[in-house]
């Protein structure tokens, strides 16, 4: 078994970019929330809700892009619920987030069973197809890795640039970053801390839900319970790995996806000589090691997890 050969295959890099896509959406969404000072542990449930909501929209006859829009609306609704408890009422962000995760995961399974009680095998839809962009898709290696993916993957890559631009180059983005560092200073400027944090949590939650919808509308063609499979928790770790910076978040997502793609190929080559669970845990072990190394100098937003109460100093 020659692991070096895996890195020479174009298919490995194509799989890496595809598998990184839901992580990119989820990590950017969590990054926006935490930049505003709100830890969103509801990400796993929000991704599950987006996963099922987007698929159900298309299964009932809607368009694929309509499914993405519906998933984003579902995510925003759960984000708004998170904001009511953690931002306006100042309750524990840990408890509220875990509650959102349990609500989103269980509600998705409940709605699926209610609408399709007799389904013994997951019904299928026609998902997003791989693009064939004139000129760009024909480039050797790079064309197949980047420009022959589905539209959602290109959207995820564009979102990295978009989020970085908004956070660093626009007054709105700078206000969101400041509310996560010093909310009192934002209040002194006459801006609404509650409004900015709510906006950030809703926008971030919408991106998380779109990441979940990618699984059912692009990576696969069906929905099954539990298909998010811990990706939300990985996104939270990747935010720390990235030091709350969008471009570093992209590299973190690609790194984790590379480990994941590699373990699948190694598993196929090694056969059943070693239990498959050993290979499944390898990406997580490598990610933990990378997280420990990279997070040593991470500077988290100073007001993260600290509830804001108007008039308090």
């Amino acid at each position: 078994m020659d692991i070096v050969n895996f890195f020479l295959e174009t298919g490995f890099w194509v799989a890496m970019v595809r598998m990184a896509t839901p992580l990119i959406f989820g990590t950017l969404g969590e990054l926006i929330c935490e930049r505003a000072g709100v830890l969103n542990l509801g990400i796993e449930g929000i991704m599950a809700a987006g996963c099922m909501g987007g698929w159900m929209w298309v299964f009932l006859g809607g368009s694929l892009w309509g499914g993405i829009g519906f998933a984003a609306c579902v995510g925003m609704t759960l984000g708004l619920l998170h904001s009511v408890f953690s931002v306006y009422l100042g309750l524990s962000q840990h408890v509220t987030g875990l509650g959102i995760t349990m609500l989103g995961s269980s509600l998705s399974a409940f709605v699926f069973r209610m609408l399709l009680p007799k389904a013994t095998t997951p019904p299928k839809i026609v998902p997003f197809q791989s693009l064939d962009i004139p000129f760009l898709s024909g480039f050797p290696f790079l064309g197949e890795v980047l420009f022959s993916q589905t539209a959602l993957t290109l959207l995820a890559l564009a979102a990295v640039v978009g989020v970085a631009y908004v956070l660093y180059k626009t007054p709105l983005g700078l206000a969101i970053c400041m509310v996560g560092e010093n909310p009192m200073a934002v209040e002194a400027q006459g801006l609404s801390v509650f409004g900015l944090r709510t906006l950030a949590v809703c926008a971030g939650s919408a991106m998380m839900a779109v990441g979940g919808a990618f699984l059912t509308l692009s990576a696969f063609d069906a929905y099954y319970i539990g298909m998010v499979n811990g990706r939300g928790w990985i996104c939270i770790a990747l935010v720390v790995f990235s030091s709350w910076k969008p471009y570093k978040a992209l590299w973190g997502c690609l790194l984790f996806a590379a480990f994941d793609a590699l373990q699948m190929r190694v598993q196929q080559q090694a056969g059943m000589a070693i239990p498959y669970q050993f290979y499944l845990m390898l990406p997580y072990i490598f990610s933990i090691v990378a997280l420990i190394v990279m997070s040593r100098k991470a500077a988290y937003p100073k007001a993260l997890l600290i509830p804001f109460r108007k008039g308090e100093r």
Side-chain angles (χ1 to χ4, degrees), residues 33-290:
C33 295
E34 295 192 19
R35 275 286 193 169
V38 180
L39 177 67
N40 193 347
L41 292 181
I43 182 172
E44 185 80 4
I46 293 171
M47 289 184 76
C51 192
M52 201 286 291
W55 177 84
M56 187 60 73
W57 178 276
V58 177
F59 179 73
L60 295 177
S63 66
L64 288 169
W65 285 109
I68 294 297
F70 182 70
C73 291
V74 171
M76 289 180 68
T77 304
L78 291 173
L80 183 61
L81 184 63
H82 188 22
S83 299
V84 169
F85 289 105
S86 62
V87 176
Y88 287 93
L89 299 181
L91 301 180
S92 167
Q93 296 177 14
H94 292 102
V95 175
T96 303
L98 292 175
I100 295 292
T101 279
M102 289 188 283
L103 174 65
S105 301
S106 56
L107 192 61
S108 302
F110 175 75
V111 171
F112 180 75
R113 289 300 182 199
M114 284 292 291
L115 294 178
L116 298 168
K118 297 181 181 177
T120 54
T121 56
K124 295 182 182 301
I125 61 169
V126 179
F128 282 97
Q129 302 299 309
S130 299
L131 297 174
D132 184 14
I133 304 175
F135 184 67
L136 293 178
S137 297
F139 262 78
F141 182 71
L142 196 60
E144 190 173 354
V145 171
L146 287 182
F147 302 111
S148 295
Q149 302 278 354
T150 65
L152 283 181
T153 296
L154 298 185
L155 181 63
L157 297 175
V160 176
V161 180
V163 169
Y165 178 80
V166 170
L167 288 180
Y168 300 138
K169 300 292 183 182
T170 67
L172 175 62
L174 294 175
I176 288 175
C177 293
M178 182 53 69
V179 84
E181 297 287 342
N182 190 345
M184 279 72 79
V186 173
E187 185 189 32
Q189 292 293 319
L191 300 174
S192 170
V193 174
F194 294 133
L196 286 168
R197 284 188 166 178
T198 300
L199 177 64
V201 173
C202 288
S205 299
M207 294 194 71
M208 296 171 190
V210 171
F214 171 84
L215 297 173
T216 48
L217 302 185
S218 185
F220 303 99
D221 56 1
Y223 167 81
Y224 58 87
I225 297 170
M227 71 186 303
V228 176
N229 197 27
R231 289 179 176 84
W233 308 126
I234 294 297
C235 291
I236 294 174
L238 288 173
V239 172
V240 180
F241 174 89
S242 69
S243 302
W244 291 267
K245 296 175 182 175
Y247 292 120
K248 287 185 69 176
L250 173 62
W251 293 119
C253 295
L254 292 172
L255 179 64
F256 181 85
F259 287 141
D260 208 9
L262 182 63
Q263 67 87 13
M264 292 178 69
R265 282 160 172 74
V266 172
Q267 190 178 159
Q268 291 170 357
Q269 290 290 322
M272 299 302 292
I274 300 175
Y276 74 92
Q277 292 90 345
F278 174 79
Y279 299 105
L280 291 178
M281 72 179 184
L282 287 179
Y284 297 92
I285 292 176
F286 290 142
S287 298
I288 290 172
V289 172

